[in-house]
Amino acid sequence: MNEALNLSGSKRILQFIEQNPFWLAPMAGVNDACFRGICKRMGAGITYTEMISAIGLHYNFETDATRRLLAISDNESPVAAQLFGSDAEVIATQAYEVAQFLGEDLAFIDINMGCPVTKVVRRGEGSALMMDLDTASRIVKKTVTILKAQGLEGSDIPVTVKFRRGYSEGDDRSVEFACAMEGAGASALAVHGRYQDQFYSGVSDRQTITRVKDAVGIPVIGSGDVFSAQDALSMISPKSKGGVGADAVMIARGAQGDPWIFTQAQALHHGELPLTPSYEDIFAVMQEHATCIERSFGPKALVRMRKHAMWYCAGLPGASYFRGKINQVTTMNDLESLISEYKSFLAKTVTEISEETAQE
């Protein structure tokens, strides 16, 4: 481990972990400021921006679209910014620009080396970097160097790396890659237990995370198949108690439509009984989310909010009918009317069930 490069950064990461080890993972097309703000209020520790193209920032930093990607909610600071790319100079330069733009609202810079999406991988970005240790190491070293002089509350701005088990199924490169990233100056590592060519199929191998944790001296954040508060707690529980032993946990798909997963994980972590949100709670947050999305995205709000509405209603009575109707609406006003209609339907359904139970 290169102590001179990543010691102070790792200490800062550990401070975040001590405050709250349940983090919202970066998700493209999902993690806008509206969603992150809700998750933060529900108990998320660090929240990440969407995965942002460094080359896109290079050419379009001053555009409204870019500013939306870097916008943060009122209660969210500090936030982690995740960049992706394959050009060390461009990533390092844009990391500096992001640090300047966010100032004290920036927790750290995360570099994505785990995205499995084909169009990203074809450009030598995301998971493809696991096949190119030299380029991956150069990206981290360059970014650490350019940020080192930009102090944040007395510490260097940490640089972290998110990656997968490996590129091709059966070719596990996680420990080798982790050690190389630590040596290049990364202050923490986020590990997902699938290979690139698995995308999100199959089961994430949590032992990959344990092996990486045993091999490095910097914090490790576990990622993959965290769909419940118990899954989250298991990720940070010690190996001696049957857990993975990660320092913190990233929650991704498990938070889609269920930001209460952070509240529940916090409760379990403190030995308390986690509460399940009522349908009134779910619809109140859904309405809040829709209002924020409309304010932030204007004409593009409906496309952005439609998937969130579907996620929120998953598992509720009549959800399949509601989801079908969502695909037919053409305006945000129509969507909000549909949400109100569905809420009234659920209220009636709950009342009828209660009356039947009382009669029994």
Side-chain angles (χ1 to χ4, degrees):
M1 179 173 65
N2 191 326
E3 295 285 352
L5 287 176
N6 61 15
L7 180 58
S8 60
S10 291
K11 285 183 176 180
R12 182 165 175 79
I13 297 293
L14 285 171
Q15 289 177 346
F16 293 133
I17 291 171
E18 288 169 3
Q19 292 167 6
N20 186 337
F22 304 106
W23 296 3
L24 174 66
M27 291 180 282
V30 176
N31 278 32
D32 51 60
C34 298
F35 180 62
R36 297 196 319 264
I38 289 170
C39 289
K40 189 77 172 186
R41 193 178 75 245
M42 294 293 184
I46 291 296
T47 55
Y48 289 71
T49 66
E50 298 181 50
M51 187 177 74
I52 305 173
S53 167
I55 196 71
L57 289 179
H58 176 72
Y59 288 110
N60 302 294
F61 201 96
E62 299 300 324
T63 64
D64 290 341
T66 297
R67 294 304 171 96
R68 274 199 299 269
L69 286 170
L70 291 172
I72 66 172
S73 61
D74 293 339
N75 65 329
E76 190 182 9
S77 180
V79 63
Q82 189 187 70
L83 305 182
F84 76 99
S86 59
D87 187 309
E89 186 68 34
V90 171
I91 291 178
T93 301
Q94 294 312 307
Y96 171 81
E97 293 296 333
V98 169
Q100 291 290 98
F101 180 77
L102 290 176
E104 292 187 357
D105 289 328
L106 176 67
F108 53 86
I109 294 289
D110 183 68
I111 302 174
N112 184 294
M113 299 188 184
C115 178
V117 176
T118 302
K119 67 179 181 180
V120 172
V121 170
R122 282 177 178 168
R123 296 193 297 263
E125 303 166 341
S127 294
L129 287 165
M130 294 199 70
M131 301 292 287
D132 189 350
L133 272 180
D134 288 342
T135 298
S137 297
R138 187 161 59 250
I139 288 170
V140 174
K141 287 179 181 177
K142 186 72 176 179
T143 306
V144 169
T145 298
I146 202 168
L147 291 177
K148 193 168 179 60
Q150 304 303 311
L152 185 64
E153 294 183 7
S155 298
D156 296 330
I157 298 172
V159 175
T160 66
V161 179
K162 187 174 189 292
F163 60 96
R164 287 190 162 219
R165 185 178 182 183
Y167 189 81
S168 301
E169 191 166 357
D171 183 14
D172 189 335
R173 301 192 174 203
S174 56
V175 170
E176 176 190 11
F177 193 81
C179 292
M181 296 305 97
E182 179 184 32
S187 294
L189 304 169
V191 189
H192 183 104
R194 285 185 177 86
Y195 296 101
Q196 181 276 335
D197 54 10
Q198 287 182 282
F199 285 82
Y200 298 100
S201 65
V203 178
S204 177
D205 178 46
R206 292 189 164 198
Q207 293 307 308
T208 296
I209 301 163
T210 301
R211 288 192 293 273
V212 169
K213 176 61 182 173
D214 289 342
V216 300
I218 55 179
V220 171
I221 301 103
S223 173
D225 290 355
V226 181
F227 296 114
S228 69
Q230 187 58 56
D231 290 339
L233 190 63
S234 175
M235 191 73 81
I236 63 170
S237 296
K239 291 184 293 180
S240 61
K241 295 184 178 181
V244 176
D247 296 288
V249 54
M250 272 186 178
I251 303 175
R253 288 178 292 165
Q256 292 175 352
D258 186 16
W260 295 271
I261 192 172
F262 296 103
T263 308
Q264 294 165 343
Q266 289 278 13
L268 283 180
H269 190 46
H270 294 101
E272 300 168 0
L273 184 67
L275 299 177
T276 301
S278 66
Y279 80 88
E280 291 98 336
D281 296 330
I282 294 170
F283 277 87
V285 170
M286 195 191 309
Q287 291 279 11
E288 173 194 348
H289 199 158
T291 300
C292 181
I293 288 283
E294 186 171 24
R295 184 172 60 245
S296 301
F297 289 88
K300 297 181 179 179
L302 180 61
V303 174
R304 191 87 181 185
M305 186 62 203
R306 182 182 278 130
K307 59 193 171 191
H308 284 286
M310 290 183 177
W311 290 329
Y312 278 119
C313 72
L316 295 176
S320 59
Y321 174 81
F322 178 60
R323 287 197 296 268
K325 285 287 189 178
I326 287 175
N327 285 323
Q328 298 173 20
V329 300
T330 57
T331 69
M332 282 297 291
N333 284 338
D334 290 341
L335 176 59
E336 290 175 6
S337 295
L338 179 60
I339 291 172
S340 295
E341 177 188 332
Y342 185 39
K343 182 181 178 182
S344 297
F345 162 78
L346 282 177
K348 181 180 178 182
T349 301
V350 170
T351 299
E352 290 175 350
I353 292 174
S354 298
E355 290 175 351
E356 290 176 3
T357 303
Q359 290 174 2
E360 292 176 358

